[in-house]
Amino acid sequence: MSDLADLSVGGAAAGLRAGEFTAVELLEAVHRRAAVTEAELHAYLTIDRDGAARAAVAADSALRAADDPGPLLGIPVALKDNMVTRGVETTCSSKILSGYRPPYDGTAVSRLRAGGAVIFGKTNLDEFAMGSSTENSAYGPTRNPWDPERVPGGSSGGSAAAVAAGSAMIAYGSDTGGSIRQPAALCGIVGVKPTYGLVSRYGLIAFASSLDQIGPLTRTVEDAVAALEVVGGHDPADSTSYPGSFPDMRSGLEAGVSGLRIGVVAELNGAGIDPAVQAAVDETVAGLERAGATVVPVSLPSVAYALSAYYLIAPAECSANLARFDGVRYGLRRHGETVEEMMSTTRGEGFGPEVTRRILLGTYALSAGYYDAFYGQAQRVRTLIIQDFADAYEQADVLVSPTSPTTAFPLGARTEDPLSMYLSDVCTIPSNMSGDPAISVPVGVDENGLPVGFQIMAPALGEPVMMRVAAEVERQAGFTARARLATSEVG
Amino acid sequence: MTWETVIGIETHVELTTASKMFCGCPVDFGAPPNTNVCPVCLGLPGALPVVNGRAVEYAMTIGLALNCSIAPHSVFARKNYFYPDMPKNYQISQYDEPLCVAGHLDVDTDGEVARIGITRVHMEEDTGKSTHVGDGGRIQAASHSLLDFNRAGVPLMEIVSEPDLRSPEQARAFVAELRGVILRLGVSDAKLEEGSMRFDANVSLRPSGSTEFGTKVEVKNMNSLRSLQRALEHEVERQQALLDAGEPVVQETRHWNEDAGTTSGMRSKEEAFDYRYFPEPDLVPVEVDDAWRERVAGALPELPAQARARYASAGLDPVAADLVSRDPAAGTIFEEATAAGADAQTVANWLTGEVTALLRRQDLSLEQSGVTGAGLAELAEMVDDGRLSASAAKEVLAGVVAGEGNPESIAAERDLIQVSDVSALEPVVEEVLAANPDAVAKLHEGDGKVIGFLIGQVMRATGGKADPAAVTAILRGKSA
Amino acid sequence: MPVEIDIAKVARLARLSLTDEQLERYRVQCEVVLEHAARVQALPTEGVAPTSHPLPRTNVFREDEVAECLDREEVLAAAPDRDGDYFLVPRILDE
Ligand SMILES: [Zn+2]
């Protein structure tokens, strides 16, 4: 490996400790890569040159002092721009937060700083994490490093593109309905949505509070484990944070899948899935079987209603979460004679179309006379989905499906039809509804050379078995294809 | 037709916890603007609430004191409406599953006791404060508003009564009793003028004997017990005039104007009441088991009703019993003074009379006044011994409030001690009699009126310090 | 199940100032999504309790302890408009 920007976290950590290169050199390699890729990709909204440089210098002195806070010491990391960073512009890709510099760090960010990570920049996303293509950004779309005419997926498209292109070693995103896993799949990298509550949401700008979860986007399963270990664990500032000890995801990585039961979800495979995607998934399942796993068909009957329920619950929660953007205390303000007029104009002009649409949907779903038929019913459906998962996990240790029904689609292909865009998340939404963990691992490419993601779902706090299967999938797939733009060569 | 008045009261009480409801900012009302704020109570993007455990205990305490059932499972909800002093544009409150339900409070109005239902007691957070500038603070004419978020997120309890109140006077008595309960519990300073206890009233009239409710009007902006009663009396009259004239009462919110003594309608917004409540996803449910409830119930202090019964059986008159049972500061002083040997009714008379009047004149609270139980006992004893006249005692009390020391030293310092010692007064009386032979003659003729003249002469000779009772006794002895 | 939305009313509730053309476009799009979402009504859910939290937890409290506040200058620096130590907003029309 000639370019430091292409190293895995494990490789970089070893090199740093062996004195083969410094954190400053590692940061420079990532800067060189970004200088080439950003012109085409637009993965970043902000690159924090000064902050990153300071962190790299600090990491080098910690390395010299053998003061080792863990695996991310000196590692260049990208953060989705809905993660609050003190003093560094945090916009959620929205006009309404243009120029906003928060006065505090979120918990995950504080833990990254404490872990010696070098926070390189803030990545593009669909505005307020609402979307599946990163086209809904007030600052322009991010492109897919495998094919710049295609979307990187979303909403964590900037984070996925940066990791796939090597302009970040790892990145963090948030996953409300698939926003980490789907872009990871479309960009050929690993993406994890942890168990709800495993990573603190304090400092994650909320989209739908009962569904949002921070997670890593990495090039390997092992990197994902390292990335999770640093930010995860109980946080008293988040009332929904899991209070128990952090699960051991590392020790099973080499254990293989012999004796494990792999459940293939009938409702999430086959119908509605692109044949090339399904073929890669089927091949992966066959590989797991060859490696000693038992493959069992399982059914999640209520999952057919998951997308519908999601498009009531997420907008409802978002309509309240986004009420605070009113031009009073921070962010954009548009003129109004009265405060009410000022708020309405600010919000009307400050939010993009997708965000506006979801606020309207959610406001309607919660309004008097409709609550029970829409929001209330969606919450009951959520209960049924959770019960279905519980039943399925009686029969299988993990459940599998494609991550996304298709590979990366062309820019603009779905922007005019919200519902077709929403269908991008049909395989990922169920895990957000249940709060369970899920991971996307790249397993192959389609006829256009675009990557396919394989999704592994596990019961709550089932990250150890999920990672164990993911590591086996990774070994079997031997996915070594690289994004076309993953190069520091100019031209 | 005669009409029956129907009133329900919604009370908000700010708790005196150390920190706010959902964050660690201090609950401190004197702080400079926008200093007691953090990402949570400012509603900054990404911030999350965490419930203050003590606030939950305080809420349970209030619920139990009001005879409520404590819900084994209760949840927080978001109440959605836009207002610039509410940082998130939703208020974290409780909706269909509040902490405390179905209680009651007995209210005594002139010896008539009524049991007023308490629908619910729930937890929520306060808003910030807006100041309207540009036209003397009048909201309608202001050019802009200033916002201070120090109060945003202060724990707020909402106490909702059933529409069981039947007169403005009873409503006032209810709020006074409720305030007494809150003060006794020590969970809030419940200051009406400063807004740490606030109330709105729902008022309707119905034909006497009817069981259906009339159209109700919400009356807001009363900030004293007196203004509550006045506002309600005004509103009842207004509705009665409408109904007597055959005109309908419009369901609306009306604003009480203390100076004008009238209520005025507020601009009604048809959609203003669609609060779109839903369970707060950032918080988890509160579950109270028997052990927890029993522990809080077991720690309840004596409540006003119990205290009042105790005082009444000790012979205290109702006005005094009300004061010392509802106001914990007065109660403490009373208990201390009587424990020091002072007569209960005498101490109570001091508290309800001169002490209350003096504090009102000087705009002081009892806690600020420096009046103590020991001090009052001392004062009462000096009057009882004849060493202080009634008017001198008032002067001494003023000295106590002015911080001049204890009653004994103030009386000495101000030279107010009466002479009642017969051996000291006898020679003075002799001198006065010798100097007024005419008066002495009349005295011997049985002219009772002249005794007043002679007392006056003795008082003048002693510089006003002679005890009139002692002088009278000596004179009567001489005339016999 | 077709859904009809009074979009202007919803926009007012959500404090979104939108043009008539925008309102009409959002109405059509929202109705399509809601029609799809309304499929949840087809699922029998009698006796099913609603889930508002994916992981059941209860009684998460913090101690009643004072923590550090933000620096006022840092807070007001982010304000679109201020007057001295206060946030400044246009006049508030009604309570
Ligand atoms: Zn605070």
Side-chain angles (χ1 to χ4, degrees), chain A residues 17-276:
Chain A
R17 282 162 186 75
E20 289 164 23
F21 46 83
T22 65
V24 169
E25 286 164 349
L26 196 56
L27 175 62
E28 279 166 5
V30 172
H31 267 304
R32 274 196 304 278
R33 176 65 58 86
V36 174
T37 56
E38 271 307 284
E40 201 150 12
L41 284 185
H42 188 230
Y44 284 95
L45 295 174
T46 302
I47 289 177
D48 182 16
R49 287 193 165 270
D50 296 347
R54 279 195 303 274
V57 169
D60 280 331
S61 43
L63 282 162
R64 278 194 302 276
D67 171 15
D68 197 336
L72 296 190
L73 176 63
I75 303 294
V77 171
L79 303 177
K80 190 177 183 177
D81 204 30
N82 61 353
M83 294 171 73
V84 166
T85 45
R86 181 169 190 169
V88 177
E89 192 172 348
T90 301
T91 68
C92 281
S93 288
S94 182
K95 260 199 296 194
I96 213 159
L97 276 179
S98 172
Y100 175 61
R101 289 172 195 274
Y104 76 107
D105 275 331
T107 300
V109 176
S110 308
R111 289 182 181 181
L112 282 168
R113 291 197 203 281
V118 175
I119 295 174
F120 182 73
K122 306 294 292 288
T123 58
N124 200 10
L125 62 147
D126 286 298
E127 185 178 357
F128 283 103
M130 297 175 201
S132 310
S133 68
T134 317
E135 290 166 293
N136 303 330
S137 166
Y139 306 104
T142 294
R143 291 162 183 269
N144 192 315
W146 295 75
D147 176 357
E149 295 312 309
R150 292 175 186 267
V151 303
S155 63
S156 312
S159 284
V163 171
S167 57
M169 199 151 276
I170 59 169
Y172 290 86
S174 64
D175 191 317
T176 306
S179 279
I180 289 172
R181 291 161 287 160
Q182 185 258 15
L186 269 51
C187 290
I189 59 170
V190 173
V192 184
K193 182 202 90 78
T195 301
Y196 184 84
L198 204 59
V199 180
S200 169
R201 291 185 296 115
Y202 191 78
L204 171 66
I205 300 181
F207 158 20
S209 314
S210 77
L211 303 162
D212 294 342
Q213 187 59 192
I214 288 175
L217 297 98
T218 59
R219 290 182 213 133
T220 70
V221 172
E222 196 181 346
D223 283 5
V225 170
L228 261 177
E229 282 170 345
V230 173
V231 299
H234 182 243
D235 176 17
D238 175 358
S239 308
T240 61
S241 166
Y242 172 67
S245 57
F246 194 77
D248 171 14
M249 308 178 190
R250 203 171 268 280
S251 61
L253 290 178
E254 305 296 328
V257 292
S258 180
L260 290 182
R261 298 164 302 163
I262 310 291
V264 178
V265 181
E267 290 80 3
L268 303 180
N269 284 273
I273 307 296
D274 184 278

Side-chain angles (χ1 to χ4, degrees), chain A residues 86 103 196 210 241 243 305 308 327 329-330 333 338-339 344 347-348 353 357 360-361 364 373 377 379-380 383-384, chain C residues 10 14-15 17 26 29 34 36 39-41 43 45 48-49 51-52 54-55 57 74 78-81 88 90-91:
Chain A
R86 181 169 190 169
Y196 184 84
S210 77
S241 166
Y305 298 89
S308 296
R329 281 148 293 123
Y330 43 79
R333 176 184 293 185
T338 64
V339 76
S344 297
R347 292 166 58 78
R357 193 153 46 230
L360 290 168
L361 275 170
Y364 174 82
Q377 179 68 358
Q379 285 199 320
R380 286 185 287 273
T383 307
L384 295 178
Chain C
V10 176
R15 292 287 186 280
S17 170
Y26 286 125
Q29 289 171 339
L34 276 171
H36 186 270
R39 291 176 51 198
V40 295
Q41 290 156 7
L43 209 57
T45 54
V48 176
T51 295
S52 53
L55 290 185
R57 284 197 72 193
E74 204 174 350
D81 202 358
L88 181 70
R91 68 197 169 96

Side-chain angles (χ1 to χ4, degrees), chain B residues 9 12 52 72 99 127 142 173 192 208 225 252 266 276 294-295 298 328 332 334 346 366 368 384 388 403 439 462:
Chain B
I9 304 252
H12 285 93
N52 182 338
L99 184 66
T127 61
L192 305 180
S208 295
L225 292 176
E252 61 178 341
M266 295 162 72
R276 290 161 285 136
E294 293 308 321
R295 185 169 57 74
T332 305
F334 177 82
T346 304
L366 205 45
Q368 296 165 322
D384 204 38
L388 278 183
T462 58

